[in-house]
Amino acid sequence: MSRLFSALYAIFPLAALALMLWKARDYAQLCREKGETLPRSSWAWMLPSAVMLAVIAVWGVLGLLEGSFLAIVMPVACVLIVACGLVCLHRIEVWRWYDSQEPIRQRRLRRGLGLLVVVLGMLTIEVPYNMLMPLGGPTYFWLEMLLCGLLLLALYLVGQRHAVACVPAMAFFFVAGMSQHFVKRFKNSAILPTDLLVLNTAAAVTKEYVFSFNEQTLLGLTVFMVALASLALVRPARLGMSLTRLPNTRLHNTVGSIASLALLVTLILGPNYMHHLGVSIEYWYSITYYQRQGFLPTFIAVMQDMPIRKPEGYTDEGAQELTQQYARQYRDEVEKDEAHQQAAQQFEELKPTVIAIMNESFADLSVYDGMHCGYEGPQFFRSGFGDALARGTLNVSVHGAGTCNTEFEFLTGNSLGFVGAGKYPYSIYDLSDVDAIAQQFVSWGYHTYAMHPNYATNWNRHKVYPQMGFETFLSIDDFGGSPNVAVDTQTPNEPHYEVFHSGVSDAGTYERILQLLEEDEAPQLIFDVTMQNHGSYNQDNIPAAYQTHYLPTDFEGDETPERLNEYLACIKKSDDDLREFVRALREVERPVVLVFFGDHQPTLSAAYNDYWYQDEPEDVHARRAYSTEYVIWANYDVAGRMQQSAEDETSVDMLAAQTLDLIGAPVSDFQAAQLAIRDQIPSLSASDYQGDDRTWYVPEDDGSPFAKAYHDLSLIEYLNFARRI
């Protein structure tokens, strides 16, 4: 929708606001003529409706209203919000009518209104992001109703039976629902408990997104207004006056509130939501499960799933013995491998610098049958590494977001499959005692650098990187001071780094890497987390030279060609920057190993995957979206190694050990065990693993021919990670 049409739609809320204020003025005048005073509380209850209409109008003027059915939804929403405001203003008259009813009818009305408030509370959460409720099943529907009802009842009694005490709960429901709405739109995923631990990171990255209102946003806002209007109609009960059959004293209300809270806590912490209540979660499709089962039940189930589960039969001694057994198996093999021995001797002599680049959202979307429009992917990446040591598909555990989890798997070698897909280790664990590759390189006399041209506090990197062994962390302060500062706005004394799309370009970080190679003669480990390809992809800031104009055929999903082309333009720029960087590395007079990989696909790829590939096994469907690409390359001839003739599929947690093995670097017992098990399980992710037969299995599949190897790896990784945090 154009900015002009968005501004035209602002007429509706402005007209509705004017109508509501006009009616409110007339009603206040009528009350004065009757010698009555309109209570301030009535004005206060009406105020949110007026504010909401003003907010919608402002969003329209700013060009932030969008949607195909806005012409229908907008006037309906405005009429309902006006009605809510006027109902709040007339609440005293409603109470008078209520007082005129017989006691039995009053109790029925009060109970009905109470049930309506609870239903509206639940809908305030669900409607902004979920139109499936209660189609997910009556159990989940009533469970969420009970959770909402107990919280509202506890606050109602704490407030001595004044409905205004329930407003914070209703506001909480509203914030949860609207937050989930935007998380779904931006990331196509659900809010997980660990997301609450990284709100500062979320606030930083959401600056690049546009918070526009669509039809579902307006419906969510309207339901919230109806919920508040319903609360406004709840008749306050003076102490000693019971409008129900329950006693109404401070003591009884306090006891009732404590009992309600106790029951709520018991309901949250008591039953196992997955085992006892049938709530399930598949982290690859978290938003689908939230929609089927409701926000609160699923959120609680995920929260209960957060502790790292100890594998069946685990003991420290047994896991240590398994580690040594597999490590011996690997070392017995490499001792017989002359090529590996040559590479190992060469590594000791050369001590090559290792540069690992985790490129933001870098993926080859040509795997979606050329995006049905002839897209051929990043050209240099596909054809410019004929002398690569290894390259191929990289299976990852996240999609659209969760960069830190790909980092975690690469830097520690631990898989999210054994930690938990919905967890962010950077945010919830102390990693000081966890082995990481940076610590290895430090022990070999290397200088270790991490760089990310954004805020150091994002994903707690300022704390995590030193814990992992990085001696120097270059953040946005080392790249000009702002994630997307224009070059011409920097002071003359500051270094100038190119900016593209969402921040400092890939080329800008490569420039800094080349500076480090010139400034520091010691062998180095450099870990670069890029920024330019970060969403959103509706920023409309791509230079003409990089704009693309692909138009997928036979696609009628929610994604727009504009967003796709903005993303593909970013990949085109990344590909060009990578080509120039590799060209520069070929000319560097020191041995360098480059590991380049994408952290995840962009959120938008899920829409194409779901639309074009509907009738296929779930694991195949998910694997297409949960994969990127990687390459391992050196600017010197690694002794005993030949050029990679075929693609080698792997996963992020295996990538570091695989790199060390290829260049002949020493590996730890844990990494040696990983490499030995890789003969049976070449790749794994947060939800499944790949056997040597190229078939993907879920951990629960006891019939898998690789079930024992997977279980052994779970024991080894529990010892290597979970026992150390």
Side-chain angles (χ1 to χ4, degrees), residues 361-403:
S361 299
F362 185 90
D364 182 0
L365 296 193
S366 67
V367 298
Y368 293 92
D369 292 328
M371 293 306 295
H372 291 211
C373 59
Y375 176 64
E376 297 181 350
Q379 292 304 294
F380 174 77
F381 182 84
R382 290 171 62 102
S383 61
F385 288 101
D387 54 348
L389 296 171
R391 63 173 305 150
T393 298
L394 182 69
N395 294 301
V396 298
S397 296
V398 296
H399 179 268
T403 296

Side-chain angles (χ1 to χ4, degrees), residues 391-454:
R391 63 173 305 150
T393 298
L394 182 69
N395 294 301
V396 298
S397 296
V398 296
H399 179 268
T403 296
C404 66
N405 279 356
T406 302
E407 284 185 49
F408 167 80
E409 289 189 314
F410 174 73
L411 293 174
T412 69
N414 294 286
S415 171
L416 265 291
F418 304 120
V419 176
K423 302 166 189 173
Y424 298 123
Y426 276 17
S427 304
I428 57 180
Y429 303 128
D430 183 349
L431 304 181
S432 300
D433 295 328
V434 175
D435 291 338
I437 60 170
Q439 298 165 356
Q440 285 179 276
F441 279 85
V442 168
S443 70
W444 301 335
Y446 277 64
H447 293 174
T448 54
Y449 299 87
M451 65 172 62
H452 177 53
N454 209 306

